[in-house]
Amino acid sequence: MINALVVGHAVSSHCHPSLKGRKMLLCQPLGASGEANGAPIVAIDIFGAGLHSKVFVSTDGLGARHLVHDDKSPIRNFIQGIID
Amino acid sequence: MRICQVIGRLTLNIQDPSYKGGRWLLANPLDAGQMNDACHKPQKLTSQSTFVTYDGLGAGEGDIVGVVEGAEATAPFDFPIPIDAITVAIFDTLSYQPPATNT
């Protein structure tokens, strides 16, 4: 799981069917002491994480496929939880 | 899913039989600072290494695509295929709004 900060969103009209209608958020992975670590990645959001909220992002494809109920879906990153 | 700009295409001469009919793109990952105007203006190459990705969507040069890497890239296929990156989205807009101080 990646400790990340939500820094934006992405809109795509031409994507894999399992992504249709899904909210895609830009998440900036954070290092151990909270500094930015690499370029932002796109993760699927089902919890309604707001801008600048701290989240942890999963990189488990199996979990993502269960999430979108499509075992042909190539999604990998999805927001697993919002950190208070 | 990494955000990359498509900078070229690739044609294979001798290939794995499962690649038949496949399209290949050269993708250069974008930096955070480029994301806001990436979908409107062509971007210069970043220092991140360019890689080859299988194209499942028909993205062309200059498109901003979302690429998934790893074993999940083989999920859409019914047969075993040795790939580790596939395009899953072509972005229309990207909105990058980092917090004022990078908390």
Side-chain angles (χ1 to χ4, degrees), chain B residues 19 36 46 58 60 89 97:
Chain B
Y19 287 170
N36 269 331
T46 64
Q97 302 143 19

Side-chain angles (χ1 to χ4, degrees), chain A residues 5-55:
Chain A
L5 183 75
V6 176
V7 286
H9 65 274
V11 175
S12 164
S13 53
H14 189 63
C15 53
H16 189 269
S18 62
L19 280 169
K20 285 254 187 289
R22 300 281 168 188
K23 213 166 91 163
M24 291 190 266
L25 295 183
L26 290 185
C27 300
Q28 171 65 57
L30 300 177
S33 56
E35 82 292 351
N37 177 13
I41 59 172
V42 177
I44 305 300
D45 174 38
I46 55 169
F47 294 118
L51 192 60
H52 300 163
S53 55
K54 281 219 164 106
V55 293

Side-chain angles (χ1 to χ4, degrees), chain B residues 6-30:
Chain B
V6 176
I7 57 172
R9 290 192 49 206
L10 196 67
T11 306
L12 301 183
N13 181 2
I14 297 173
Q15 58 187 1
D16 187 281
S18 60
Y19 287 170
K20 197 166 171 341
R23 269 169 58 98
W24 301 89
L25 300 175
L26 287 172
N28 176 251
L30 286 181

Side-chain angles (χ1 to χ4, degrees), chain A residues 14-16, chain B residues 23 55-59 65-66 87-90:
Chain A
H14 189 63
C15 53
H16 189 269
Chain B
R23 269 169 58 98
D55 178 26
L57 294 171
V65 291
T87 58
V88 293
I90 301 175

Side-chain angles (χ1 to χ4, degrees), chain A residues 76, chain B residues 68-75 83-86:
Chain A
R76 187 172 174 194
Chain B
V68 165
E69 289 168 299
E72 285 72 24
T74 62
I83 61 171
D84 68 350
I86 188 168

